[in-house]
Amino acid sequence: QVQLVESGGGLVQPGGSLRLSCAASGSIFSINAMGWYRQAPGKERELVARITSAGSTNYADSVKDRFTISRDNAKNTVYLQMNSLKPEDTAVYYCNADIQHSRYAVYRRDWGKGTLVTVSS
């Protein structure tokens, strides 16, 4: 059993910053890519940013130059630093991770339950 627990969401004014964290725990042998997705009310879930185990990253065009994804492999944790936040960034943010649960298992994508980010004055 694996748990991904997000933290760091909340209410912030436009132009402000937040840092999200997501820690994976439980039956973990190896973690490949980790990422952040978001889902705004009435919209589909969309990719925000992804980071591989080697540190390669990719971002949605809408967040490039404002958001930074990083990870601490020793802590099985992924972060999302969000700067210059806009009202359109308001959404529930979900983390995921491609996890190998035991030595000979295939990788499986696990998801957190989400954390709400609200950007409003």
Side-chain angles (χ1 to χ4, degrees), residues 26-103:
S27 178
I28 298 172
F29 179 79
S30 174
I31 300 179
N32 196 353
M34 304 181 81
W36 290 94
Y37 283 68
R38 67 185 180 187
Q39 187 166 18
K43 295 188 176 181
E44 293 187 354
R45 191 175 296 190
E46 62 175 2
L47 170 69
V48 176
R50 291 273 283 171
I51 183 168
T52 69
S53 57
S56 296
T57 59
N58 65 288
Y59 296 90
D61 288 341
S62 59
V63 306
K64 279 181 182 177
D65 301 323
R66 298 190 298 123
F67 291 10
T68 302
I69 189 170
S70 60
R71 64 190 284 174
D72 184 333
N73 291 329
K75 295 181 179 180
N76 291 334
T77 299
V78 62
Y79 305 97
L80 186 68
Q81 178 66 43
M82 305 186 294
N83 299 328
S84 303
L85 282 161
K86 305 174 181 180
E88 51 263 44
D89 294 317
T90 295
V92 177
Y93 284 71
Y94 299 90
C95 74
N96 68 20
D98 296 335
I99 298 176
Q100 188 183 24
H101 296 265
S102 62
R103 182 179 180 86

Side-chain angles (χ1 to χ4, degrees), residues 5-24:
V5 179
E6 301 100 335
S7 61
L11 174 64
V12 63
Q13 292 187 341
S17 298
L18 280 176
R19 188 190 193 213
L20 305 183
S21 300
C22 173

